[in-house]
Amino acid sequence: QVQLQESGGGWVQAGGSLRLSCAASGRTFSTYAMGWFRQAPGKEREFVAGISRDGGSTYYRDSVKGRFTVSRDNAKNLGYLQMYSLKPEDTAVYYCAATPGAILATSEGYDYWGQGTQVTVSS
């Protein structure tokens, strides 16, 4: 198993930036693909970005392409989601998740989840 903990959320004005971190412990981090998801109040959880086990492949939902960058440092057991040009519609609780398989765009495919970190973007 792998345990995940997000950090780096907060409050920013529209157009601002935040970097979220996902610290992993337990099973070797490099054996898991990682996904980032978000959920706004009353809304379903949605896929944001994902990265392959070796960092060689990334995938983003259309609404964040060009603004968000997902990365990882397996030597430090850390994953990152760098967010630029934030918009009010980005406001949500952000979660990192891990799967021993390939990157997946649905939450059902992930075995391990962090507790989430709040991102609030004001207009």
Side-chain angles (χ1 to χ4, degrees):
Q1 65 175 12
V2 61
Q3 295 173 314
L4 307 173
Q5 178 64 62
E6 305 92 339
S7 63
W11 180 91
V12 296
Q13 293 183 344
S17 302
L18 284 173
R19 186 182 71 172
L20 306 184
S21 297
C22 179
S25 62
R27 185 68 174 86
T28 304
F29 185 49
S30 62
T31 65
Y32 294 86
M34 190 179 71
W36 288 91
F37 293 78
R38 65 188 181 189
Q39 187 169 26
K43 304 293 185 180
E44 294 185 357
R45 188 171 298 183
E46 64 182 17
F47 177 81
V48 178
I51 186 166
S52 61
R53 288 173 285 186
D54 64 357
S57 300
T58 58
Y59 186 79
Y60 303 89
R61 70 180 297 107
D62 287 343
S63 62
V64 308
K65 288 179 179 177
R67 300 189 298 119
F68 291 11
T69 300
V70 63
S71 61
R72 66 192 298 163
D73 186 340
N74 286 340
K76 298 180 179 179
N77 287 348
L78 289 173
Y80 302 99
L81 184 67
Q82 178 67 61
M83 305 184 293
Y84 299 102
S85 301
L86 283 162
K87 304 175 180 180
E89 52 262 44
D90 295 318
T91 296
V93 176
Y94 283 70
Y95 301 86
C96 63
T99 175
I103 301 171
L104 299 171
T106 58
S107 60
E108 290 80 6
Y110 288 83
D111 300 307
Y112 306 103
W113 293 83
Q115 294 296 308
T117 185
Q118 178 70 46
V119 172
T120 302
V121 185
S122 63
S123 60

